[in-house]
Amino acid sequence: MRILQLHCEYIGFKPKSKALKTVADLSEQDAKGMRLENALVVFSSFETGDDDAVLGEVVKQVKKHFNEVKASVVVCYPYAHLSSNLAPPAQAASLLNSFLDKVREFNPSAQK
């Protein structure tokens, strides 16, 4: 798993289309997009061989950085461009959801 963390004054985004056909449709609220202030944006790329142990270590790093920069929210953003050894799409989606669940343990308002 590879990550790139950015502490941003704000981030705004609006989904334009699905990256994977197997992903559920967005809710009406999510389709409108959002803007978040004082965000720790975690771009993540899930690789072949990643598992819960890897997620646990990355979550520790994210939590440490989150506390250091005193961010208000974590944004978990899948970003396949960080690796050339990507996990299969279904596995990557599952790992992303697990990653978000673990991040929400210390930041309940975390977004994906």
Side-chain angles (χ1 to χ4, degrees):
M1 180 173 178
R2 294 179 185 259
I3 62 170
L4 172 64
Q5 299 181 76
L6 301 174
H7 182 214
C8 302
E9 186 176 320
Y10 69 90
I11 184 170
F13 51 89
K14 180 179 179 182
K16 296 201 181 254
S17 63
K18 287 185 184 184
L20 300 172
K21 293 176 185 174
T22 57
V23 175
D25 289 335
L26 294 173
S27 69
E28 190 174 313
Q29 176 77 14
D30 288 340
K32 291 180 182 179
M34 62 178 55
R35 178 185 164 112
L36 300 164
E37 307 286 331
N38 188 25
L40 177 61
V41 181
V42 182
F43 294 99
S44 55
S45 185
F46 300 94
E47 300 178 302
T48 301
D50 286 348
D51 57 16
D52 283 336
V54 171
L55 287 180
E57 288 303 313
V58 172
V59 169
K60 285 180 191 176
Q61 293 175 21
V62 171
K63 182 178 181 180
K64 180 178 182 274
H65 194 195
F66 175 78
N67 290 327
E68 286 174 354
V69 300
K70 298 177 177 49
S72 300
V73 64
V74 176
V75 177
C76 299
Y77 197 99
Y79 196 68
H81 307 291
L82 294 175
S83 175
S84 61
N85 185 27
L86 297 174
Q91 181 186 4
S94 176
L95 288 166
L96 175 62
N97 290 328
S98 294
F99 181 55
L100 182 60
D101 290 342
K102 292 176 185 302
V103 168
R104 284 185 172 153
E105 290 175 12
F106 68 86
N107 183 233
S109 59
Q111 297 292 319
K112 171 176 77 167

